[in-house]
Amino acid sequence: MKAITLYDVARVAGVSYQTVSRVINQAEHVSARTREKVQRAMEDLNYVPNRGAQLLAGKRQLALGLVSADLALHAPSQIASAVKSRASERGYAVLISMVTNYAEAACREAVQELLAQRVDGLIVNVPLKEDAARRLSDLAAPLPVLFLDVSEQAQVNSLVFSPAQGATLGVAHLLEQGHSRIALLAGPESSVSARARLQGWHHALAEAGIEACAVASGDWSAQSGYEKAHSLLASAVKPDAILVANDQMALGVLRACAEKGISVPRQLSVVGYDDTTDSAWFTPPLTTVRQAFRTAGEQGVDWLIGKHDPQKLSQTRLPVTLVVRGSTAVSGAESTDDLASRLQELAAFADKLGLR
């Protein structure tokens, strides 16, 4: 099959070879209408610019750097996907440096690795303390750096979801359902987000005049959710609801409940956090706090590429929402199937006694 060339794109777009080259290289003095015609022709022909040839010609590829937590985890992988998609739309490549050790030294090494590749801006999606984030920002200066997993008080450019709002939504929902014995399954203590959610839960419960009946911490995995659920369900005060810091751990909680013969939500309500793509397919479907990870990734790219004042901090708080599904119910309530079954048992018992 004949390779598609710039001349083919120029012919389909009805422009010159030089105009196609200017569009590919993000040159100025190309009208929006012409740029759109060329981009449409490239899409129709499935043309992919030869970046190697561009580099040999001395033309540097525009690129963004992403320092990310483990991409095996749902949230980091979703954000990375959104970053790459939006960056590609804007004509940028994305270079990723993944760290599993969140110590400042490891994060510093990841940032230096990306800076050595001449990126034009950085997104850092790793849990960092305030001072560590500020030092990494100074290291990358004057490049723009945006942090996605720092506290709201950190004096760096940040774009984070509101943990207080998410915690309040989960607690309020369970209280509205009449639950009062609420256990908490937090994420790892090393995570800024996990600590913020746990603090938010405690605050929201205190506002209602109650305390958590039990608290445990997992490592974000379904396995840790399963193991910690057994511990929470064996506590002196039996919970009638559990707030879980992410959906994967909530999946483990549901498995533990099934093994112990605890009906969710008739005997125990479970609320997750994140709203992963699979949460609606858990058994039962999971009630959870939704964080729009794609929005975070896309807005992060737009901020880096857009015009902003380097002397002014940008601190954006993204809202979260509660998605109510089948894993929560009114405390002590029985499902329609349970009621029907009980009525049948009572009718059979009445017939046996000759009462009907």
Side-chain angles (χ1 to χ4, degrees):
M1 181 181 292
K2 177 175 177 280
I4 303 299
T5 68
L6 261 67
Y7 293 101
D8 296 316
V9 175
R11 174 177 52 77
V12 172
V15 299
S16 68
Y17 168 92
Q18 290 82 0
T19 297
V20 175
S21 179
R22 284 196 292 271
V23 170
I24 290 174
N25 291 296
Q26 306 290 314
E28 298 180 357
H29 311 302
V30 178
S31 70
R33 183 170 179 274
T34 299
R35 191 179 300 277
E36 183 180 348
K37 286 169 56 179
V38 171
Q39 290 173 339
R40 189 183 305 117
M42 291 169 62
E43 292 175 1
D44 291 343
L45 294 171
N46 293 320
Y47 175 75
V48 179
N50 187 331
R51 296 302 181 192
Q54 287 181 304
L55 291 173
L56 289 173
K59 297 167 183 171
R60 188 174 68 84
Q61 163 75 72
L62 296 170
L64 302 178
L66 172 63
V67 180
S68 178
D70 192 346
L71 293 177
L73 298 172
H74 174 80
S77 67
Q78 289 295 298
I79 289 173
S81 174
V83 166
K84 286 185 68 68
S85 296
R86 179 54 63 93
S88 178
E89 291 173 5
R90 303 291 297 272
Y92 282 71
V94 175
L95 307 177
I96 299 177
S97 183
M98 190 179 79
V99 295
T100 54
N101 172 10
Y102 303 147
E104 183 178 349
C107 295
R108 186 181 185 88
E109 184 178 337
V111 168
Q112 290 174 324
E113 174 190 334
L114 294 171
L115 292 176
Q117 298 179 71
R118 300 175 63 195
V119 295
D120 299 281
L122 285 170
I123 293 176
V124 181
N125 186 26
V126 175
L128 289 167
K129 295 181 179 179
E130 297 174 24
D131 291 345
R134 189 168 60 251
R135 285 190 288 270
L136 288 180
S137 183
D138 291 341
L139 172 65
L143 288 184
V145 184
L146 185 67
F147 294 85
L148 305 186
D149 197 356
V150 293
S151 75
E152 296 176 294
Q153 290 72 42
Q155 295 300 296
V156 292
N157 298 312
S158 61
L159 187 151
V160 299
F161 294 99
S162 172
Q165 182 189 20
T168 299
L169 287 173
V171 169
H173 176 64
L174 291 178
L175 294 178
E176 288 170 359
Q177 300 293 311
H179 297 284
S180 58
R181 303 188 309 279
I182 300 174
L184 308 177
L185 178 48
E189 294 181 1
S190 61
S191 167
V192 174
S193 298
R195 294 198 303 270
R197 290 171 200 176
L198 180 59
Q199 182 180 7
W201 285 335
H202 279 305
H203 179 74
L205 289 171
E207 287 286 305
I210 62 177
E211 294 183 0
C213 68
V215 181
S217 295
D219 63 6
W220 297 130
S221 70
Q223 178 179 344
S224 73
Y226 170 81
E227 293 169 350
K228 299 300 181 180
H230 278 286
S231 173
L232 292 172
L233 295 171
S235 59
V237 179
K238 302 297 182 186
D240 58 12
I242 302 179
L243 286 163
V244 190
N246 78 330
D247 290 353
Q248 281 301 106
M249 289 196 298
L251 176 61
V253 170
L254 296 178
R255 167 70 178 271
C257 288
E259 289 187 358
K260 294 178 73 68
I262 297 173
S263 173
V264 177
R266 183 169 64 84
Q267 295 173 290
L268 180 80
S269 285
V270 178
V271 177
Y273 211 110
D274 283 345
D275 191 28
T276 66
T277 52
D278 294 332
S279 301
W281 303 101
F282 290 179
T283 303
L286 186 66
T287 294
T288 184
V289 176
R290 173 180 292 163
Q291 299 190 113
F293 294 124
R294 293 209 65 82
T295 298
E298 291 168 356
Q299 288 193 15
V301 169
D302 291 343
W303 183 85
L304 282 182
I305 296 175
K307 295 180 179 179
H308 47 269
D309 185 351
Q311 303 302 318
K312 184 178 179 181
L313 283 182
S314 173
Q315 296 182 310
T316 302
R317 303 294 172 258
L318 295 175
V320 297
T321 55
L322 182 71
V323 181
V324 179
R325 299 194 180 103
S327 66
T328 54
V330 174
S331 179
E334 292 185 293
S335 68
T336 301
D337 290 343
D338 290 331
L339 289 172
S341 176
R342 180 164 296 190
L343 287 173
Q344 288 178 350
E345 291 174 0
L346 290 173
F349 186 64
D351 287 340
K352 184 176 181 180
L353 296 178
L355 300 176
R356 290 205 309 170

